[in-house]
């Protein structure tokens, strides 16, 4: 307890899940998240848990659906092409109000893409991803310690709202080794009277996502929307850095990208630029509250490992009040501190262009 | 007076929504009777498919979950692996099990999942209005084979019991039908055995049931039963395809 251990991001996901009381993992191999199933294949049997390699991501996510319907804490993980296949199960879990943790250790796409890191599944993660009107809670960690904290938070949020929760990270953080502290966290305990356990001593339980009468289906949708509205209200999380009344340039980045942006921010500040950062921690719900009072900020720069996806949420939150610029790289290429710094400097130098 | 016939406890009050003369209803009853007789209703979890039996959970009086199309074996795996004391079964049509869900059933069998699979083969997609199924017979008409199924265009009917019985993980596989009272009695024995095996910790258990779809076949119910007998049984011979308890000798022993 309180002792720091050195761990890879992917392995930290696994150990954090175990400390959160998760004893069931179903997944299918894919780079760059492979250390996670390898880790849990070893750890789950030691904890009396279940590690099962499914025949595909489609099968694995449906195993998760089954285990969750039986009331246990359960997770799966994959990387971008595999997460596309999991969308079926995620949509069904939202429809049937089943909690689970889904990890996406993103790589670059589209298609088979490459195994290098990217943030280009942001739309898929935050705008539904599968069919139907829905959202899942999406957490974007920026360090290995945050992976641990967020995996635990994700399980608690999933159970609180009976909705799947996603840990959205990427190959860079997944492979990164950092010291982590597991602390003495205790998972929240949930009664699950709806779970399928055999109907001994109670009326039968049914878990389903089909309501064949449109009136009933709309009612179910309205119930889900109410839940999403409550999540939007209560669960927005973000970090602010160097935001003061005289900050002029705001940079927005999440996850791995935010680490690099922080270094660029410091260098810019050393050169006298008044720059601050907002780092969304929940990317759904997007922390639009963070953008309500922007004080003296003159211009905004969004940096992503994508063609500009979170950019849209930033623009929606700012709602035309300020110019919003974008810098991103794709295909597994990661924006460097120098590149971000030069973007910041160019914004300062030519305010007329804003 | 002694009551000699009553509704199984495992059947709920809801009326079946199947078409008149459809044999899905008989199969439901055989499952419910087996579960009642084995005394396992309070620890059973059923997995209903996407297909005409999508609402099976409304008709059964025990815990149930609805799976995505073809994924019932994966869902059942997730349940059985988290609640090993539960008796878990899937109820699947031929489109569900032998087309979109082929990978899931093959691998559940390969792993020897300790579940029971009730596979209803009616040689057609009932729910979506009569399209070609993987088990549609050569020459058989359907919405998507309006000139009859042709091997060179559509391939051959898939023989699920034969195929799965080659897998080491399979414990018990039998093909039955429900076309007359004698075959219903046999079907019941097979279904009960497929559940009993699971109670005894044995899997994977599958019973394939040749079933009718009078609506999509475009036949009166009695005519449909005759059609099943004359056309389906020669392609899908009845019998025990695998019974690990009876030794390998029992393998692939068809009856007729
Ligand atoms: C992913 C997906 N694809 C297609 C469908 C449409 N669909 C519903 S039932 C069905 C086929 C059902 O046929 P079968 O499994 O043979 O069962 P039956 O209705 O004959 O009992 C199809 C294709 C669906 N619901 N989901
Ligand atoms: S469509 Fe066919 S399988 Fe479906 S209920 Fe009607 S007769 Fe039965």
């Amino acid at each position: 307890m309180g002792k720091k251990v050195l761990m890879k991001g992917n392995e930290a996901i696994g150990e954090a899940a175990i400390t959160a009381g998760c004893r069931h993992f179903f997944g299918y191999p894919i780079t760059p998240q492979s250390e996670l199933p390898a880790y849990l294949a070893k750890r789950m049997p030691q904890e009396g848990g279940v590690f099962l390699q499914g025949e595909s991501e489609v099968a694995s996510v449906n195993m998760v659906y089954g285990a969750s319907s039986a009331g246990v804490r359960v997770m799966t993980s994959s990387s971008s092409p595999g997460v596309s296949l999991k969308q079926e199960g995620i949509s069904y879990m939202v429809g049937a109000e089943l909690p689970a943790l889904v990890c996406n250790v993103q790589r670059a796409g589209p298609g088979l893409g490459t195994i290098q890191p990217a943030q280009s599944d942001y739309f898929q993660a935050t705008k539904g991803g599968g069919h139907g009107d829905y959202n899942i809670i999406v957490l974007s960690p920026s360090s290995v310690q945050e992976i641990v904290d967020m995996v635990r938070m994700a399980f608690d949020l999933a159970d609180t709202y009976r909705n799947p929760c996603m840990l959205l990270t990427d190959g860079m953080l997944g492979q990164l080794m950092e010291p982590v502290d597991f602390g003495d966290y205790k998972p929240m305990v949930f009664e699950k009277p709806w779970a399928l356990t055999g109907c001994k001593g109670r009326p039968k339980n049914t878990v389903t996502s089909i309501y064949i009468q449109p009136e009933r289906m709309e009612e179910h949708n309205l119930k889900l929307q109410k839940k999403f509205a409550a999540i939007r209200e209560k669960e927005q999380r973000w970090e602010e850095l160097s935001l003061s009344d005289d900050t002029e340039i705001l940079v927005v980045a999440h996850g791995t990208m935010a680490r690099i942006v922080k270094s660029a921010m410091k260098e810019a500040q050393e050169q006298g630029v008044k720059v601050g950062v907002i780092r969304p921690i929940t990317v759904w719900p997007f922390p639009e509250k963070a953008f309500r009072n922007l004080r003296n900020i003159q211009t905004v720069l969004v940096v992503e490992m994508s063609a500009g996806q979170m950019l849209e949420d930033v623009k929606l939150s700012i709602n035309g009040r300020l110019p919003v610029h974008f810098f991103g790289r794709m295909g597994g290429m990661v924006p460097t501190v120098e590149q971000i710094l030069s973007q910041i400097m160019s914004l300062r130098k030519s305010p007329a262009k804003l | 007076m002694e009551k000699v016939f009553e509704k199984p406890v495992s059947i709920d009050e809801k009326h079946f929504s199947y078409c008149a003369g459809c044999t899905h209803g008989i199969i439901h009853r055989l499952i419910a009777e087996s579960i009642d007789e084995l005394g396992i209703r309070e620890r059973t979890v059923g997995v209903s498919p996407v297909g005409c039996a999508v609402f099976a959970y409304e008709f059964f009086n025990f815990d149930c979950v609805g799976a995505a199309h073809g994924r019932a074996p994966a869902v059942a795996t997730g349940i059985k692996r988290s609640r090993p004391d539960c008796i878990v079964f899937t109820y699947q049509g031929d489109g569900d099990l032998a087309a979109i869900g082929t990978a899931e059933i093959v691998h559940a069998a390969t792993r020897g999942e300790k579940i029971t699979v009730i596979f209803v083969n009616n040689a057609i997609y009932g729910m979506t209005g009569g399209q070609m199924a993987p088990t549609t017979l050569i020459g058989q008409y359907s919405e998507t084979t309006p000139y009859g199924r042709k091997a060179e265009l559509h391939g051959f009917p898939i023989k699920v019991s034969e195929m799965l019985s080659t897998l080491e993980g399979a414990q018990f596989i039998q093909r039955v039908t429900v076309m007359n009272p004698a075959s219903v009695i046999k079907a019941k024995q097979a279904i009960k055995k497929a559940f009993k095996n699971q109670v005894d910790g044995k899997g994977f258990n599958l019973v394939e049931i040749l079933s009718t779809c009078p609506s999509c076949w475009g036949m009166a119910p009695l005519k449909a039963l005759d059609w099943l007998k004359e056309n389906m049984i020669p392609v899908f011979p009845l019998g025990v395809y695998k019974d690990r308890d009876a030794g390998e000798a029992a393998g692939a022993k068809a009856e007729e």
Side-chain angles (χ1 to χ4, degrees):
Chain A
M1 298 296 149
K3 207 178 98 224
K4 293 222 170 191
V5 284
L6 197 62
M7 253 186 157
K8 258 193 183 183
N10 283 333
E11 295 176 344
I13 297 175
E15 191 56 35
I18 285 174
T19 62
C22 172
R23 292 292 179 276
H24 294 82
F25 177 96
F26 303 93
Y28 186 83
I30 186 169
T31 312
Q33 59 86 60
S34 297
E35 294 86 358
L36 169 55
Y39 185 82
L40 286 179
K42 256 190 239 149
R43 287 289 283 120
M44 280 302 189
Q46 293 167 354
E47 299 291 332
V50 172
F51 170 90
L52 185 61
Q53 179 171 323
E55 59 272 26
S56 68
E57 288 85 353
V58 175
S60 305
V61 76
N62 282 286
M63 291 171 187
V64 170
Y65 174 98
S68 181
S69 75
V72 302
R73 276 202 161 173
V74 57
M75 71 178 290
T76 185
S77 86
S78 189
S79 179
S80 310
V83 178
S84 292
L85 289 180
K86 288 190 197 290
Q87 295 304 325
E88 174 186 82
I90 295 172
S91 170
Y92 273 74
M93 283 193 275
V94 174
E97 298 196 82
L98 293 176
L101 171 63
V102 179
C103 300
N104 184 355
V105 185
Q106 293 167 97
R107 56 192 251 182
L112 198 50
T114 175
I115 59 173
Q116 273 74 32
Q119 295 181 315
S120 46
D121 300 347
Y122 180 94
F123 281 153
Q124 186 197 55
T126 61
K127 310 290 170 188
H131 63 285
D133 268 318
Y134 75 86
N135 288 102
I136 57 173
I137 299 172
V138 185
L139 303 171
S140 173
S142 206
S143 65
V144 180
Q145 181 64 52
E146 247 186 8
I147 282 182
V148 171
D149 301 340
M150 286 188 191
V151 162
R152 293 162 162 178
M153 193 199 300
F155 277 111
D156 287 343
L157 287 171
D159 277 335
T160 301
Y161 292 103
R162 286 185 61 186
N163 204 61
C165 203
M166 179 177 279
L167 187 83
L168 184 68
T169 180
D170 61 68
M172 186 175 273
L173 203 56
Q175 308 289 330
L176 191 75
M177 262 194 149
E178 278 182 337
V180 285
D181 181 351
F182 281 90
D184 52 5
Y185 153 93
K186 279 212 173 54
M188 287 165 72
V189 179
F190 291 82
E191 293 289 325
K192 297 187 177 179
W194 47 267
L196 309 178
T197 55
C199 61
K200 194 168 166 64
R202 59 161 170 77
K204 70 175 186 182
N205 280 341
T206 303
V207 171
T208 182
S209 62
I210 182 173
Y211 300 91
I212 201 76
Q213 288 91 7
E215 294 81 6
R216 277 288 292 120
M217 193 67 228
E218 184 180 49
E219 210 178 286
H220 182 58
N221 265 288
L222 289 171
K223 179 185 172 204
L224 294 178
Q225 288 303 320
K226 218 169 141 187
K227 168 157 81 179
F228 302 145
I231 297 172
R232 255 191 225 107
E233 185 47 43
K234 284 193 217 142
E235 308 297 348
Q236 294 184 22
R237 291 171 169 82
W238 69 91
E239 183 189 16
E240 295 180 1
L241 291 160
S242 299
L243 284 194
S244 61
D245 285 339
D246 60 355
T247 306
E248 288 169 3
I249 298 176
L250 169 66
V251 187
V252 188
H254 75 96
T256 293
M257 205 57 252
R259 297 170 70 107
I260 303 167
V261 158
K262 276 182 204 170
S263 306
M265 176 191 79
K266 281 188 195 129
E267 291 200 15
Q269 286 170 344
E270 278 164 23
Q271 298 182 34
V273 184
K274 290 169 179 150
V275 53
V277 167
I278 290 179
R279 173 173 75 92
I281 292 173
T282 52
V283 285
W284 197 91
F286 187 76
E288 36 95 14
K289 290 179 187 172
F291 298 85
R292 285 193 186 159
N293 176 14
L294 291 173
R295 295 176 259 206
N296 190 41
I297 287 166
Q298 305 294 311
T299 187
V300 180
L301 173 68
V302 178
V303 187
E304 295 177 71
M305 294 189 277
S306 80
Q309 300 195 9
M310 183 176 71
L311 172 64
E312 293 193 0
D313 284 331
V314 175
K315 281 184 173 171
L316 279 171
S317 303
I318 288 184
N319 200 14
R321 286 176 289 149
L322 289 173
V324 180
H325 301 262
F326 177 73
F327 181 69
R329 297 195 67 181
M330 294 173 284
M333 296 302 291
V334 181
T336 62
V337 174
E338 295 69 39
Q339 285 170 333
I340 300 165
L341 182 63
S342 91
Q343 293 289 320
I344 295 172
M345 298 314 279
S346 76
L347 286 180
R348 188 182 65 152
K349 263 187 257 152
S350 53
K353 250 176 42 193
L354 305 182
Chain B
M1 222 212 300
E2 196 201 345
K3 221 180 190 178
V4 292
F5 191 77
E6 60 186 335
K7 186 178 72 63
V9 184
S10 291
I11 291 281
D12 217 330
E13 299 299 330
K14 277 247 168 68
H15 288 294
F16 290 158
S17 53
Y18 301 107
C19 307
C22 173
T23 40
H24 265 302
I26 299 176
I27 299 167
H28 280 26
R29 183 173 173 108
L30 299 183
I31 293 170
E33 283 179 2
S34 303
I35 289 172
D36 278 10
E37 287 165 23
L38 292 167
I40 53 175
R41 188 186 74 87
E42 292 183 324
R43 57 184 182 120
T44 293
V45 179
V47 185
S48 59
V50 174
C52 279
V54 66
F55 293 120
Y57 57 74
E58 303 245 10
F59 312 135
F60 290 126
N61 181 24
F62 43 72
D63 281 7
C64 282
V65 56
H69 195 21
R71 316 297 176 221
V75 173
T77 298
I79 299 168
K80 188 72 184 180
R81 297 282 182 133
S82 23
R83 303 228 174 253
D85 291 339
C86 284
I87 301 301
V88 185
F89 79 95
T90 71
Y91 186 105
Q92 303 180 258
D94 40 57
D96 196 76
L97 180 141
I100 193 168
T102 314
E104 283 76 8
I105 198 68
V106 166
H107 287 275
T110 299
R111 290 190 301 266
E113 281 312 325
K114 292 176 179 49
I115 60 171
T116 301
V117 175
I118 306 299
F119 168 39
V120 180
N121 177 359
N122 59 11
I124 200 118
Y125 283 21
M127 186 185 221
T128 38
Q131 296 83 5
M132 182 186 75
T135 50
T136 293
L137 305 183
I138 298 294
Q140 188 182 336
Y141 297 99
S142 75
E143 274 210 334
T144 48
T145 53
Y147 307 110
R149 181 175 187 160
K150 292 188 171 67
E152 61 276 24
L153 277 181
H154 313 110
F156 295 88
I158 189 166
K159 299 179 180 186
V160 169
S161 290
E162 287 85 336
M163 177 177 79
L164 295 182
S165 65
T166 65
L167 301 173
E168 265 173 82
Q171 161 75 28
F172 173 65
I173 294 178
Q174 183 170 351
R175 185 184 285 129
V176 297
T177 186
V178 285
M179 65 185 177
N180 54 32
S183 64
V184 169
I185 290 168
K186 268 206 175 141
K188 163 80 180 287
Q189 288 164 348
I191 290 170
K192 193 167 170 183
K193 177 167 176 158
F195 277 101
K196 177 72 169 53
N197 277 350
Q198 190 183 157
V199 172
D200 295 340
K202 297 175 194 163
F204 159 99
N205 306 285
L206 178 141
V207 182
E208 174 175 349
I209 301 152
L210 303 185
S211 188
T212 64
C213 177
S215 297
C216 296
W217 293 356
M219 291 172 205
L222 285 178
K223 173 95 197 308
L225 293 171
D226 289 341
W227 190 88
L228 184 159
K229 181 170 185 208
E230 282 155 28
N231 297 280
M232 284 183 79
I233 291 179
V235 179
F236 302 114
L238 306 180
V240 177
Y241 283 85
K242 177 129 192 203
D243 186 354
R244 240 197 255 147
D245 285 342
E248 288 308 313
K253 195 176 115 268
E255 279 166 17
E256 279 143 84

